Amino acid sequence: MSWQSYVDTNLVATGKVSKASIVGFDASTWATSAGFTVTKAESEALVKAFANSGDAFASGLYIEGKKFVVLNADDKLIRARQGATGIICAKTNGCVLIGYYNENVQAGDCSVIVENLAEYLRGVGY
């Protein structure tokens, strides 16, 4: 399965993830849903936040130029919100999944989808 298929089929097509992207640890974009633009600088800050979440807690994370307040973060999962929307970011062995949910999606529903795909990818070596 291609990386784009993971974004389109396993994340966005569920209806629980509004937009999604997969980025490498070097902040390169591997796949993204239509209309979802995560800059290299935003990806770099996100990747770094998994190793050191202090800056993310202090300053938030930016995705598509919008500031998200970090609610919790560890070395595998980051949850952040901006009003009624938010992001769920999960780190695998080689990439980071970014799932964005809009005001019509429950954060927990998005989180389950993103976390399950991350767990699957870790299990197959990614």
Side-chain angles (χ1 to χ4, degrees):
M1 184 176 276
S2 73
W3 293 110
Q4 191 61 50
S5 294
Y6 285 118
V7 167
D8 296 338
T9 306
N10 296 78
L11 295 173
V12 177
T14 65
K16 304 298 182 187
V17 178
S18 306
K19 300 185 268 188
S21 188
I22 300 175
V23 299
F25 292 160
D26 63 353
S28 63
T29 300
W30 292 7
T32 192
S33 57
F36 192 46
T37 305
V38 181
T39 68
K40 186 166 179 102
E42 291 170 340
S43 295
E44 287 171 345
L46 176 59
V47 169
K48 287 179 185 174
F50 284 100
N52 180 3
S53 60
D55 288 342
F57 276 113
S59 303
L61 286 172
Y62 287 82
I63 300 292
E64 291 193 303
K66 299 174 193 152
K67 181 180 179 180
F68 290 82
V69 176
V70 175
L71 303 174
N72 55 36
D74 60 34
D75 62 341
K76 289 188 179 155
L77 186 67
I78 295 173
R79 292 184 181 98
R81 289 189 72 115
Q82 183 200 52
T85 67
I87 54 172
I88 308 296
C89 307
K91 181 181 171 193
T92 70
N93 299 328
C95 64
V96 174
L97 309 178
I98 305 168
Y100 170 88
Y101 60 91
N102 64 25
E103 60 279 350
N104 298 318
V105 176
Q106 295 294 317
D109 292 342
C110 180
S111 188
V112 167
I113 299 298
V114 174
E115 289 180 62
N116 284 346
L117 180 56
E119 189 63 34
Y120 167 77
L121 291 171
R122 283 187 213 107
V124 296
Y126 290 104

